[in-house]
Amino acid sequence: MSVNLDQAYWLGLLVSVVLPVLVGLVTTRVTHPGTKAVLLLALSTANGFVVEYAAPGPGYSVGTAAVLALVAFGTGVLSHFGFWKPVGVAGRAQDSFTKAA
């Protein structure tokens, strides 16, 4: 069995790694974590459906788009807690638009 992933799927995976930083840019530190999670889920869902739409091949599969959305959400959560948060990128992203008092 050989696996052949198109360029759209790889780009979608890369976007899903960057999504937690995007959520950090549009929220603040005092934003409820549940709100951040819902925003990440919404962006991941959009990512999954756009990747399936952009992927070459015969037809559009809603099931594949849903699986891609779940993979994007899982990748986003794992990259947030495993990479972006320990390095400090998540905090700097949230502080990037705050004004000094």
Side-chain angles (χ1 to χ4, degrees):
M1 178 175 133
S2 67
V3 176
N4 184 16
L5 294 176
D6 295 316
Q7 187 177 8
Y9 296 117
W10 289 110
L11 184 62
L13 188 61
L14 179 67
V15 167
S16 66
V17 171
V18 178
L19 282 179
V21 176
L22 180 63
V23 170
L25 285 173
V26 299
T27 59
T28 62
R29 286 189 185 269
V30 294
T31 304
H32 190 274
T35 304
K36 292 179 188 180
V38 168
L39 182 58
L40 180 63
L41 180 61
L43 291 173
S44 299
T45 302
N47 180 38
F49 281 88
V50 168
V51 166
E52 177 60 20
Y53 181 75
Y60 183 83
S61 171
V62 174
T64 302
V67 169
L68 290 173
L70 289 174
V71 169
F73 181 71
T75 303
V77 169
L78 291 174
S79 66
H80 171 70
F81 288 111
F83 183 67
W84 297 123
K85 193 172 182 179
V87 175
V89 173
R92 285 194 295 265
Q94 289 181 333
D95 293 339
S96 64
F97 291 120
T98 58
K99 297 178 182 175

